Amino acid sequence: MTNPLRAEVVGLYKNLLHLGREYPKGGDYFRDRLRAAFAKNRSVEDPQQIQALITRGEFVARELEALYYLRKYRAMKKRYYED
């Protein structure tokens, strides 16, 4: 793997690992799944394919952030508004 892509992959892994701490099924569950996903694609050497995987990982990170914002919004709504 080329150096710039390696740094980007490591940064993505760290970001996902940080986001996974608040995962609804637990941080350990998320960490195991994340590790398995990265290990599965360890042998990929084509820069275009690596970039596509990075894009997919960034999409997952955005979806996790949206999930957390939605959960916080629902908690606040439940606290202050009656149904």
Side-chain angles (χ1 to χ4, degrees):
M1 187 177 340
T2 60
N3 285 339
L5 290 178
R6 179 173 174 81
E8 200 168 341
V9 169
V10 170
L12 177 64
Y13 183 80
K14 287 181 180 181
N15 186 25
L16 286 170
L17 196 58
H18 177 74
L19 288 172
R21 290 189 298 182
E22 295 181 30
Y23 193 70
K25 288 189 175 182
D28 293 335
Y29 172 82
F30 186 85
R31 185 177 54 241
D32 293 340
R33 298 278 305 241
L34 180 66
R35 190 175 292 145
F38 272 77
K40 183 179 91 173
N41 296 311
R42 179 178 290 195
S43 61
V44 177
E45 294 182 5
D46 181 29
Q48 292 174 343
Q49 194 173 4
I50 293 170
Q51 192 61 46
L53 291 168
I54 289 171
T55 303
R56 183 175 177 200
E58 290 171 345
F59 173 76
V60 170
R62 286 193 304 272
E63 288 295 314
L64 282 172
E65 289 174 350
L67 173 74
Y68 298 154
Y69 286 132
L70 185 61
R71 187 174 68 184
K72 289 177 185 177
Y73 170 76
R74 286 180 178 162
M76 293 291 284
K77 185 177 177 184
K78 185 189 256 185
R79 217 174 272 157
Y80 292 108
Y81 298 104
E82 293 183 26
D83 290 333

